[in-house]
């Protein structure tokens, strides 16, 4: 038995396959976009020029710890040691893990809303250069 599809249905299916359109369950909802925008706005409000701000929680929630290159090398405060779950950089720096030793350069404009999926679970210190 053959199933016949109208040319319009075939064309729509082909367009979806070629463009890689997301399924409705994968699409970003307006509320998700609004939450991300609100988090980004919160980070901008709480992190000044020339600073890098670190948060213990995702989405820039809570009170940030602020660092500037003029502060020189600093170990992370105990609540952020291996627990930087979001950050915003308005300055260049180096994020440092000592065991095993790894250094990651950070440029002004870098940010992470969920850094616990990356280096945030390892960061021990911050310094002006790598």
């Amino acid at each position: 038995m053959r199933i016949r599809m109208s040319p319009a249905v075939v064309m729509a299916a082909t367009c979806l396959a070629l463009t890689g359109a997301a399924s409705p369950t994968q699409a970003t909802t307006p509320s998700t976009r609004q939450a991300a925008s609100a988090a980004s706005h919160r980070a901008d409000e709480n992190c000044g020029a020339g600073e890098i701000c670190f948060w213990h929680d995702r989405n820039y929630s809570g009170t940030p710890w602020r660092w500037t290159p003029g502060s020189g090398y600093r170990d992370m405060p105990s609540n952020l040691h291996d627990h930087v779950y979001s950050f915003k950089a308005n300055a260049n720096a180096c994020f440092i893990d000592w065991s095993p030793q790894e250094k990651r350069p950070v440029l002004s404009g870098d940010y992470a809303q969920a850094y616990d999926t990356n280096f945030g679970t390892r960061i021990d210190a911050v310094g002006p250069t790598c």
Side-chain angles (χ1 to χ4, degrees), residues 2-15:
R2 293 184 97 187
I3 298 174
R4 294 182 47 97
M5 290 190 275
S6 73
V9 171
V10 172
M11 183 175 285
T14 302
C15 287

Side-chain angles (χ1 to χ4, degrees), residues 16-65:
L16 285 173
L18 291 175
T19 61
S23 71
T25 58
Q26 295 173 325
T28 304
T29 63
S31 61
T32 303
R33 285 192 302 271
Q34 288 170 345
S37 177
S40 178
H41 183 71
R42 186 170 45 251
D44 290 340
E45 285 182 336
N46 285 290
C47 196
E51 293 181 325
I52 297 182
C53 299
F54 301 89
W55 286 266
H56 182 272
D57 298 314
R58 284 182 170 194
N59 302 317
Y60 318 107
S61 296
T63 303
W65 180 67

Side-chain angles (χ1 to χ4, degrees), residues 46-54 64-77 88-95 106 108 125-129:
N46 285 290
C47 196
E51 293 181 325
I52 297 182
C53 299
F54 301 89
W65 180 67
R66 293 171 174 83
W67 176 90
T68 63
S71 302
Y73 171 91
R74 292 286 186 262
D75 288 324
M76 299 305 288
K88 177 164 179 60
N90 291 326
N92 296 342
C94 182
F95 291 177
V106 177
S108 182
V126 61
T129 60

